[in-house]
Amino acid sequence: MAMGKYSRVDGRKSSNYCSTISMVAFVALCLVGVWMFMSSSVVPGQSSNVPVSQGSATSQGKQSMVENSKGFEDSSGDLQEGSSKDGESTENSNTDNQSDLEDDSKVTETQTETDSNQAEDGDGKKEDENSGEAGSNSDSGEKENRSGEKSESDEGEKTTTDEGSSENKNDSETDGGSGEKSASDEGEKSTDEGENKDGGESNEGSQGKDKAVEVFPAGAQSELLNETNTQNAAWSTQAAESQKEKNSQSPSDVKKDGQAWKVCNTTAGPDYIPCLDNWKAIRKLSSTKHYEHRERHCPDEAPTCLVPVPEGYKQSIKWPKSRDKIWYYNVPHTKLAEIKGHQNWVKVSGEYLTFPGGGTQFKHGALHYIDFIQDSLLDIAWGKRTRVILDVGCGVASFGGYLFERDVLAMSFAPKDEHEAQVQFALERGIPATLAVMGTKRLPFPGYVFDVVHCARCRVPWHIEGGKLLLELNRVLRPGGYFVWSATPVYQKLEEDVGIWKEMTKLTKAMCWELVVIKKDKLNGVGAAIYRKPTSNECYNQRTKNEPPLCKESDDPNAAWNVPLEACMHKVPEDESLRGSNWPEQWPKRLESPPYWLKSQVGVYGKPGQEDFAADYKHWKNVVSQSYLNGMGINWSSVRNVMDMRAVYGGFAAALKDLQVWVMNVVPIDSPDTLPIIYERGLFGMYHDWCQSFNTYPRTYDVLHADHLLSVVKKRCNLVGLVAEVDRILRPGGKLIVRDNVETITEVESLAKSMNWDIRMIYSKEGEGLLCVQKTMWRPKEAELITSAIM
């Protein structure tokens, strides 16, 4: 009764009215719950703007990632074929799309204002259309896992493409939403600006827009998370397994407090090659009789400075125009033009250096000389039987440059000597070449790999010291291969030439080389002698004298890194299961055919050799076609010189076969020795230790590709030194593509930013990452004196 009296009379309502209020409240709560549930869900086929939290993702998000995942194309140390899962296309009304994106914007707003600004209605609709289209276009297929491969459905993916946000919006509207949006760090350049700067040709800018950097392999866009907050660390949306590394080393801290770059102050200046310009070591040599001063003498510590760029440097002229002319200020040397101009090597023509296509032995052009060799011996069969050759003492490599018209790859080499910058001219022209000398050590190539070895007035004394240098050519020449010698002893009758010819005749007979033909080129007034290496050991066994001696059975013909030369011959492989016992398939069939001798071997990835080879090739074809050609913002029509810094079977190079590029396949000395396989398929390469500088001039490659290399190298040596070497090798405007673990990707990204490089694309998943960065013209103002490189 007391309680009844306490009730207010003027505020009372009927019991029916109270029930109505309760029902309304209940329904409202239900609607709010449904609204909250729907706003936190991820619509299949739609790329969400919500950054992945450290510890978890919603079950709906996981399911969407499974349904729309187009797996990351690699994992460390194992082989996977890059086929994708079926994408599911989900149609939603514009109202639903807008509602979902607005909800995402509200959640993201708590983290950064930038995120909320990017989740506008119009952009949200375009992003939904992008991801839906990508999902519907995803290629179906089945993943073939290597050992240790992780699930592709886990959260923890990240992708960024560093273009200005206004550029992104404009490109998205222009292209009809064909690319995925991404945020950029303040001050970073757009893709199109990166393609056009540094004197690039005008048409590259438009092509850069067409191939915008947001574009990723079809089917992958739906699973790539937008990087919307890159101010503090590039990996702000990284998954839990890499969060520890991200927290312990923030890229912004590295940039501020880490590497302080300086310009290398050396005698060589813009042409500095650390292992060939070590004058401190050269001055200590007891002899230079065998060209020891032209061999590698690497400093104790790899330089961590940046090589200066020549004043007036411009973006290199595109192939094939570059074969005929280059910018003078890119290689500002005239000595060779003065010495060899009358032989049509190189001439100075205004702001260009021009190359008429001649040489000491082919003043009237390389093509005529190439055809002369073919006519002299039809079995040469350029571009069919003969695919990979070695050109000794190449000059400016016009011979190799014109062999491209016959589908032949020439590994041209010459020393860094008084013929100033000859190899640098070759590389600037877009012709394969490397710096090497026939001195006291083996060439950095395996045994039995070159179809033809060519020497046109290469000034090598083949006959001295027991024929040690010619025996080195015998090591690298394939059994049944040819040695083409075009030199004055072949066709002149001067006393010195006659004496050399007699010694060469004696030496080649003792080596069991057959003199197949001697022919005179009337137009050029020169001649050539062509020898053939035996395909069996019968001749060796029938010799009355063991001179030159056969090498010991323990002597490995493939051992080539810093191995001293010996005046001996290796036996020819006769067992049908051994490499070298049979000639490879004709080109181009040999590119895709697993070598016959892999049948008896286990592959690098643990499968039977030939199966391993085929799976690797399929994998790289998929990666290149679905990612590299369209997803990096690289204008491949401007790319000519490419290096694979860790080639295995050469699958990356083989996948680029339809482009106008050539690839230097490098097999690190601490990796499985697969370089013979690369040669067997009609490609080429060399051995190298990436703790040291590469034997090339600065600014000679357009693209460097490093697949799980840097994480291995940094265990042995300084990663900063290797990044400085990458900067030295790359041309301004050139690209570095890195595939590695997240920790290494983060370090490289930080170093690249500290050099003011453009970050073109970043992608990560399950501890693995993909990074594409572009070198700029930036150089530090401070200099560092490299005392070992001062003459």
Side-chain angles (χ1 to χ4, degrees), residues 22-38:
S22 299
M23 289 297 294
V24 170
F26 178 79
V27 171
L29 286 173
C30 290
L31 290 173
V32 169
V34 170
W35 175 79
M36 291 179 66
F37 176 80
M38 292 299 293

Side-chain angles (χ1 to χ4, degrees), residues 489-630:
V490 176
Y491 56 89
Q492 288 187 359
K493 300 301 179 182
L494 299 177
E495 183 177 353
E496 182 183 10
D497 291 324
V498 171
I500 292 175
W501 176 255
K502 288 181 178 179
E503 291 296 322
M504 277 290 286
T505 300
K506 179 181 177 181
L507 175 60
T508 53
K509 284 184 177 179
M511 292 171 58
C512 296
W513 280 14
E514 175 191 1
L515 178 57
V516 181
V517 65
I518 300 176
K519 191 104 179 237
K520 186 78 177 288
D521 177 9
K522 295 180 180 179
L523 178 62
N524 287 304
V526 301
I530 303 178
Y531 300 85
R532 185 174 186 264
K533 180 178 176 177
T535 56
S536 74
N537 296 309
E538 182 179 358
C539 176
Y540 298 152
N541 298 331
Q542 292 177 351
R543 293 185 305 165
T544 56
K545 291 184 179 180
N546 189 30
E547 294 179 2
L550 294 175
C551 299
K552 297 177 181 179
E553 293 291 338
S554 59
D555 191 324
D556 184 359
N558 294 322
W561 187 252
N562 287 331
V563 176
L565 286 179
E566 287 191 62
C568 67
M569 295 185 298
H570 296 91
K571 284 188 175 182
V572 172
E574 293 180 315
D575 189 327
E576 290 291 326
S577 65
L578 297 178
R579 181 176 67 85
S581 60
N582 291 301
W583 198 265
E585 299 273 5
Q586 286 200 351
W587 179 263
K589 188 176 180 181
R590 66 192 280 186
L591 180 71
E592 301 183 356
S593 301
Y596 64 91
W597 41 270
L598 277 182
K599 291 180 181 178
S600 59
Q601 298 187 22
V602 176
V604 172
Y605 302 115
K607 300 176 183 177
Q610 292 191 337
E611 183 181 341
D612 223 33
F613 174 95
D616 177 82
Y617 184 35
K618 183 177 181 181
H619 163 70
W620 283 111
K621 283 195 297 183
N622 193 55
V623 170
V624 167
S625 64
Q626 297 192 35
S627 179
Y628 289 3
L629 294 185
N630 299 308

Side-chain angles (χ1 to χ4, degrees), residues 263-285:
V263 169
C264 303
N265 182 2
T266 66
T267 300
D271 297 335
Y272 176 46
I273 306 169
C275 290
L276 297 180
D277 290 321
N278 186 356
W279 291 101
K280 180 180 179 180
I282 292 172
R283 281 191 290 266
K284 294 180 180 179
L285 294 173

